[in-house]
Amino acid sequence: MALRDILILPDKKLRLKSEPVKQFDKSLRGLIDDMFETMYAAPGIGLAAIQIGVPQRVVTMDLAKKDEPSAPLVFVNPEVIWKSDERATYEEGCLSIPEYYEEVERPSAVKVKYLDQDGKPQEIEATGLLATCLQHEIDHTNGILFIDYISKLKRDMVTKRFKKAAKKGEPVKPLSEDKEPSHHIG
Ligand SMILES: [Zn+2]
């Protein structure tokens, strides 16, 4: 296992559309192991492979709370096949846009089909945080970021801050300090 660097806005790779996984082999296992190690270390509750620079449709997740046993989830080639008309708002954050949080409205429930790490087809119906997290991560596999759902004014502002920081080679300064890191969805 190896800790991998997480790509940060405005890294152009974050906008790539990832390729479906075709081979369920040792290299996929290795990628998944690295993703979990990187996600837990961040810490985050979800990670898409493209966030460590690998354009493959792989998502790892663990929504267990601090005092609960870990509950690792792996979604290969995940795809939303149904979404509710009802919508929910959740304050999202992203490991690739650190220290920035904004409310995003999405369908409150989704059905997702995916393959497990052995290549077996699976389906999951999700509500609440799991539904939000699945949509956030599946978006990553399509090159979409949560800031794409906020106003253009806010998006331009945050993008500018990250571009400036990248130029200077410095981390972006948080806007406010009263936010919990648990808001980092992935
Ligand atoms: Zn993210």
Side-chain angles (χ1 to χ4, degrees), residues 51 94 136 140 186:
Q51 290 181 279
C94 180
H136 179 117
H140 272 304

Side-chain angles (χ1 to χ4, degrees), residues 25-182:
D25 52 12
K26 237 171 115 183
S27 90
L28 177 66
R29 294 265 176 170
L31 171 65
I32 290 168
D33 284 349
D34 285 0
M35 285 174 66
F36 274 116
E37 190 175 339
T38 306
M39 182 184 87
Y40 286 130
I45 57 175
L47 189 76
I50 190 60
Q51 290 181 279
I52 57 167
V54 180
Q56 287 195 46
R57 306 181 83 82
V58 181
V59 165
T60 55
M61 220 179 271
D62 191 333
L63 304 186
K65 298 197 179 73
K66 260 182 209 153
D67 50 349
E68 291 173 355
S70 65
L73 299 169
V74 178
F75 303 92
V76 178
N77 302 346
E79 194 188 321
V80 176
I81 52 169
W82 172 84
K83 50 191 172 194
S84 63
D85 291 333
E86 197 192 318
R87 296 170 75 85
T89 302
Y90 192 87
E91 187 173 66
E92 297 191 22
C94 180
L95 294 173
S96 296
I97 313 171
E99 310 299 339
Y100 184 73
Y101 310 93
E102 203 59 64
E103 284 190 338
V104 176
E105 193 193 281
R106 299 179 185 269
S108 60
V110 287
K111 212 183 265 181
V112 170
K113 72 167 187 182
Y114 64 99
L115 302 173
D116 62 23
Q117 52 187 322
D118 300 313
K120 214 174 122 205
Q122 307 282 353
E123 231 175 80
I124 188 171
E125 213 176 317
T127 57
L129 180 59
L130 180 59
T132 296
C133 201
L134 272 167
Q135 292 174 80
H136 179 117
E137 300 308 334
I138 292 171
D139 273 354
H140 272 304
T141 68
N142 292 317
I144 298 166
L145 301 171
F146 85 93
I147 53 169
D148 298 350
Y149 299 103
I150 66 177
S151 73
K152 187 181 182 305
L153 189 79
K154 284 180 179 169
R155 183 168 61 250
D156 287 350
M157 192 188 75
V158 68
T159 308
K160 218 165 135 187
R161 271 174 57 219
F162 276 84
K163 273 187 181 158
K164 218 181 218 175
K167 228 180 198 170
K168 285 192 194 156
E170 285 172 1
V172 170
K173 289 179 195 79
L175 273 181
S176 59
E177 286 124 36
D178 59 346
K179 302 288 170 78
E180 299 272 326
S182 61

